[in-house]
Amino acid sequence: MTPPSLPHQAPSPGAGGTPAPTTEDRRHVVRRRWITAIIILLLVGVPAGYLAVSAQQSRQSGRDKAAKVGAVKVREAWPSKVQRSIYEVPIPLLASRVGYLETNNWRTSRLYVQFGVTPAQFDAFLADIGTDRAALTPGVSISAHDAGVAGWSWSPKHRWYGVTLDARDPRPTRDVTVDLTNPANPRVYVVSTTVP
């Protein structure tokens, strides 16, 4: 007598039921490995590349900041708009040979600026800072100490005129000296001093 078969029992593996799992063919294996390699490259390589670029930019920014901080004489460049605003030095937009130096300590902050202008630009500059040519007096208005810090020297062969514009704190005091040896091309020197 044969035992009764159970209606829901799965056939044995060797009985011709569900086929045994087949192995992947070579083409699928290679493709799967390539996809895995690309995913790993994207997950690791892209962030590593980003970090390398970021580090390079940070180093360059550090060098630029060090050059600004390490400056000991006026260098050719425009002071930022914020610096020009704080120190109240409105350099004409078409000024030539612009240079500056900023110094700071716990007592005072100074902005040293030099630039060349046309006579009309010079008059506009004087008006912007609240004065005019009539206020200029013969000689240099910038102290020997400030001239030394900026790296400026005043040749006795040149025609120097100056004015000092005093202001109450926190506004800056500005010493302005101009070289009018060539009246068609005034050269302006400014030291603006603020007390924090």
Side-chain angles (χ1 to χ4, degrees), residues 12-35:
S12 65
T18 305
T22 59
T23 58
E24 261 185 303
D25 63 5
R26 180 160 173 72
R27 188 172 45 126
H28 286 103
V29 170
V30 170
R31 191 167 113 202
R32 185 171 43 80
R33 287 184 181 166
W34 269 105
I35 291 172

Side-chain angles (χ1 to χ4, degrees), residues 19-93:
T22 59
T23 58
E24 261 185 303
D25 63 5
R26 180 160 173 72
R27 188 172 45 126
H28 286 103
V29 170
V30 170
R31 191 167 113 202
R32 185 171 43 80
R33 287 184 181 166
W34 269 105
I35 291 172
T36 303
I38 290 170
I39 290 171
I40 290 171
L41 178 67
L42 291 174
L43 290 174
V44 175
V46 170
Y50 173 78
L51 287 174
V53 169
S54 179
Q56 178 61 28
Q57 289 173 343
S58 178
R59 274 194 296 274
Q60 188 60 42
S61 173
R63 285 189 201 107
D64 293 345
K65 287 177 184 172
K68 286 180 183 176
V69 170
V72 292
K73 302 286 184 214
V74 169
R75 60 188 176 84
E76 283 193 34
W78 278 72
S80 70
K81 286 182 180 180
V82 171
Q83 288 170 312
R84 286 178 271 160
S85 175
I86 290 170
Y87 291 98
E88 297 183 21
V89 181
I91 303 170
L93 291 178

